[in-house]
Amino acid sequence: MKPYNIPTWREAARRKLPQAIFDYIDGGAEDEVTMRANSSSFSDVRLRYRIHEDQAPIDLSTTLCGLPMTMPVMISPIGNVGMIHPSGDLAMAKIAAKLGLIMMLSGGASYSLEEVARGADPKPWYQLYPWIDRSFYGGLIERAEAECYRGLVLTVDTPGGANRERDIANAFTIPPRLTRRNAIEILRHPEWTMGVLRERRIVLRVFLEDDKTPSLRTFVREAKRTAGAMTRTLMRPTWDDIAWIRERWKGPFGVKGIVDPGDARRAADLGVDVILVSNHGGRQLDSAPALFEALPAVVDAVDGHAEVVLDGGVRRGTDVIKALCMGARAVSVGRPWVYGLGAAGPAGAEAVLENFRRELMIAMNLLGKTSVAGLDRSWLMPAGTPTSRLSPDFADTHS
């Protein structure tokens, strides 16, 4: 059966990929409490549908920092996506341009900044990790600026590696280490294996300006070197780093990985344009707040001084609507499009994004609202609360 929602795309990817590769994208940290809560917390809130005011067509379009999007769904950065499918980051940049969406190119991409910029118009945003020192990641900022990337996002929730026990159980490394168990999995998935060997994209090529396909020997050497650099040279970003980057980057600037309202307000005061409420998909600190739980306090703290994006946990069109009602400008999705990419290549990733559009159109029509621009907390109610006990403003009952 053809996949028709995110769970069925996930199952299709599980069948198509070696177990260690699937678990790398599917898993979280430790007991995966936060990862599960990111999605399940949406069920704590209900939507209050109403009678339509007019016969206007449904309008999903919105903007972020003045940049248009055909729907309020962004494409989250996913590192090492060349392990999932060799077309990876470049294909996603082209899909984003085609669908009128904003993509954030991962700081751990399998294509160089220059390769992606040449292949996509309009250009994506670039996700920056604080590598090594300012001279190094300052050079990456300069390259992104030279290639006319439309925005820059600094990730702040990854000051070091996390305890991802699925990866430990699978003896997973980057590049994948050949063990007896992994060798059997590789042999069971010849299509995936041939794609990896042919394109050789299991390398953090975002660092490299040379976009030639490396020889197999160079490929193995570079994969080991860049993977080691990734784990050894991540810095702990500070407020001084954020201010330093804000001063140098003249375009839209976001900070990804904020759940604390005080941090959100301080970032906005420093001139950050977009606060991405994120816990790295539950892949870093387990027992961190679920994102939908953290969202309203962050929205209230920035008080319109920055735009807010909910980055993670979204699996349904109704999840998108709930986030917008709670004050997010948009949501950003990661695992869903990776499931599609792993299951059916770029066509699968595009189908997943179009599935969000279809579900959004259906849900908005049933909600009684023709434009995402006017959604607010009055459309929400806590699960289990009789309507008669609700104030007109959901904020009063969900503070």
Side-chain angles (χ1 to χ4, degrees):
M1 179 182 295
K2 183 179 178 180
Y4 55 88
N5 59 16
I6 304 307
T8 55
W9 278 109
R10 175 183 178 273
E11 178 59 23
R14 187 189 66 77
R15 293 194 303 267
K16 194 73 172 286
L17 298 171
Q19 182 178 336
I21 303 298
F22 175 77
D23 281 346
Y24 166 73
I25 62 172
D26 189 62
E30 296 186 347
D31 296 316
E32 301 183 345
V33 171
T34 295
M35 184 185 77
R36 290 191 299 273
N38 279 346
S39 295
S40 65
S41 59
F42 286 101
S43 64
D44 295 335
V45 172
R46 303 286 186 260
L47 291 167
R48 301 171 68 180
Y49 63 89
R50 300 168 183 168
I51 297 172
H52 278 274
E53 295 289 344
D54 54 49
Q55 292 293 332
I58 305 297
D59 182 10
L60 301 181
S61 64
T62 189
T63 61
L64 186 73
C65 297
L67 300 175
M69 292 191 291
T70 59
M71 65 174 171
V73 177
M74 298 173 64
I75 299 174
S76 293
I78 303 291
N80 302 297
V81 76
M83 290 189 304
I84 311 304
H85 191 278
S87 67
D89 314 276
L90 180 57
M92 292 310 301
K94 291 178 178 180
I95 290 169
K98 174 184 176 181
L99 299 184
L101 306 178
I102 291 176
M103 172 194 172
M104 291 174 279
L105 177 68
S106 172
S110 303
Y111 283 77
S112 72
L113 283 158
E114 291 76 16
E115 285 179 288
V116 173
R118 286 197 299 270
D121 187 29
K123 305 290 190 289
W125 291 32
Y126 175 53
Q127 176 216 19
L128 181 73
Y129 281 106
W131 303 108
I132 307 174
D133 55 37
R134 286 181 180 176
S135 64
F136 182 81
Y137 66 75
L140 292 171
I141 294 173
E142 291 173 1
R143 285 171 60 191
E145 183 178 29
E147 295 295 334
C148 299
Y149 277 71
R150 294 191 296 164
L152 182 73
V153 173
L154 175 69
T155 289
V156 297
D157 61 5
T158 313
N163 187 25
R164 299 175 189 170
E165 293 182 349
R166 288 206 217 180
D167 293 347
I168 294 172
N170 290 323
F172 175 79
T173 58
I174 301 173
R177 186 172 61 198
L178 196 62
T179 65
R180 183 176 182 275
R181 177 180 176 183
N182 289 344
I184 293 172
E185 280 290 300
I186 287 171
L187 291 173
R188 290 180 59 225
H189 297 84
E191 183 179 348
W192 176 88
T193 303
M194 292 305 297
V196 167
L197 293 177
R198 182 179 63 251
E199 301 296 335
R200 299 161 197 165
R201 287 289 171 180
I202 307 183
V203 181
L204 301 185
R205 294 189 60 82
V206 73
F207 293 151
L208 308 176
E209 296 183 58
D210 179 7
D211 58 7
K212 295 179 181 178
T213 301
S215 67
L216 186 58
R217 179 177 295 179
T218 302
F219 161 67
V220 173
R221 185 181 68 245
E222 288 297 316
K224 290 179 179 178
R225 183 182 66 82
T226 56
M230 182 177 184
T231 56
R232 289 194 304 270
T233 60
L234 276 172
M235 294 174 58
R236 298 172 181 170
T238 67
W239 291 108
D240 285 344
D241 295 317
I242 293 172
W244 186 84
I245 295 169
R246 172 70 284 182
E247 183 179 347
R248 279 151 183 79
W249 181 262
K250 304 309 178 185
F253 176 45
V255 173
K256 178 179 183 291
I258 288 180
V259 295
D260 180 79
D263 281 355
R265 180 66 197 196
R266 188 169 178 180
D269 289 344
L270 284 174
V272 172
D273 302 301
V274 183
I275 306 298
L276 289 103
V277 179
S278 174
N279 51 37
H280 222 83
R283 294 167 64 81
Q284 287 299 107
L285 177 65
D286 202 19
S287 291
L291 300 177
F292 190 61
E293 295 171 348
L295 177 63
V298 169
V299 169
D300 293 343
V302 301
D303 193 25
H305 294 281
E307 295 179 308
V308 179
V309 173
L310 180 78
D311 182 15
V314 174
R315 298 293 183 268
R316 286 284 186 186
T318 49
D319 296 343
V320 180
I321 290 174
K322 290 175 184 180
L324 299 185
C325 289
M326 201 63 82
R329 187 71 172 181
V331 304
S332 193
V333 298
R335 284 187 180 93
W337 70 259
V338 178
Y339 294 145
L341 187 71
E350 183 174 345
V352 166
L353 294 168
E354 289 292 12
N355 188 76
F356 277 112
R357 191 188 308 275
R358 180 181 65 85
E359 290 189 358
L360 272 168
M361 291 292 290
I362 292 171
M364 288 291 292
N365 185 47
L366 296 176
L367 186 67
K369 189 78 174 69
T370 58
S371 173
V372 296
L375 292 170
D376 58 32
R377 296 180 189 182
S378 69
W379 294 86
L380 301 177
M381 58 183 289
T385 302
T387 306
S388 60
R389 292 174 52 193
L390 285 174
S391 68
D393 187 353
F394 180 79
D396 296 336
T397 65
H398 201 70
S399 59

